[in-house]
Amino acid sequence: MPSDVSSVDDLPRTIPVFPLPGVLLLPGTRLPLNIFEPRYLDMITDAMAGHRLIGMVQPSGPGRDPMTPPIYDVGGAGRITAYQESDDGRFLITLTGVSRFRIDQELPATTKYRQVLADWQTFATDLSETADDDAIDRARLLLALRAYLEVLNTQADWDAIGKAPAATLVDHLAVICPLQPNEKQALLESTDVIERARVLTALLEMAALQRGAGTGDDDDDDGGAPPARH
């Protein structure tokens, strides 16, 4: 959490939002982004001149206009903590998660990018939550993760995984695992990290079973590609 944010009163009411399917940002996690689309270049420039907060949200459906798809009403806000301009005009940034938010309403368009009124109060505990690692079934989570990675034919640093606090592990896995957008949204909207651990474990178990059953001798399943950056 940024040192100047101690309560929801320190967070701005109006924030820009960046819709990306399959992308999740939770408090304390980091999200690297490669920004090249003109409207999002404007968004980053404006954010850097102000509070540096960006709300990551997922499209909830295709909608009529591909430029402004409908979005879920819960997102994750992050502060720009790393910023670099490339020679070809792109911005390479990193967002560090601050808090989740609920969208009260989307504001009429006055910029190329979208802005919303954010309700932070629903997730006020994001600013102060301390997780009880003992309340997380770590053994079951790791068993599910191992099975999931095996069907994806993906290697993992099990030494680092074993040393990570359970709550930290849950949130980082929720961010990086290539789950479906609706599954990512379920993780985002989980009440706390303990519930998120239960949801994540169940999703990994289900995905391992489904992918394992459908893979057979076919190794062409890529396990879901990461979303393209904009």
Side-chain angles (χ1 to χ4, degrees), residues 27-173:
T29 62
R30 295 184 179 182
L31 178 65
L33 292 170
N34 175 13
I35 309 295
F36 56 85
E37 209 174 318
R39 55 179 167 164
Y40 296 125
L41 293 173
D42 284 357
M43 179 183 68
I44 300 305
T45 298
D46 292 346
M48 288 296 293
H51 48 60
R52 292 190 291 137
L53 284 176
I54 303 292
M56 298 303 302
V57 294
Q58 290 197 104
S60 58
R64 295 182 178 180
D65 183 355
M67 297 293 286
T68 56
I71 53 179
Y72 285 105
D73 62 2
V74 173
R79 175 162 291 184
I80 300 172
T81 53
Y83 171 89
Q84 180 182 354
E85 295 185 43
S86 68
D87 292 338
D88 57 2
R90 293 174 294 121
F91 294 159
L92 307 176
I93 68 168
T94 298
L95 293 180
T96 299
V98 174
S99 175
R100 292 170 293 168
F101 63 92
R102 186 175 296 277
I103 297 174
D104 273 348
Q105 69 178 83
E106 183 165 350
L107 298 173
T110 58
T111 57
K112 294 179 183 178
Y113 53 88
R114 300 164 73 175
Q115 299 186 80
V116 302
L117 292 180
D119 165 26
W120 305 99
Q121 192 62 50
T122 303
F123 301 103
T125 56
D126 281 0
L127 299 178
S128 58
E129 182 181 12
T130 54
D132 179 5
D133 279 6
D134 292 337
I136 296 173
D137 189 344
R138 187 188 186 101
R140 182 179 171 188
L141 172 63
L142 293 182
L143 189 64
L145 177 63
R146 189 177 293 275
Y148 176 74
L149 294 179
E150 283 180 359
V151 298
L152 294 185
N153 194 27
T154 299
Q155 301 298 315
D157 184 346
W158 289 103
D159 184 56
I161 289 172
K163 294 177 181 177
T168 301
L169 179 62
V170 167
D171 284 349
H172 282 78
L173 288 175

Side-chain angles (χ1 to χ4, degrees), residues 24-30 96-98 100 171 174-175 187-188 196:
L24 179 66
L25 184 60
L26 291 165
T29 62
R30 295 184 179 182
T96 299
V98 174
R100 292 170 293 168
D171 284 349
V175 169
L187 291 167
L188 180 68
R196 191 152 50 246

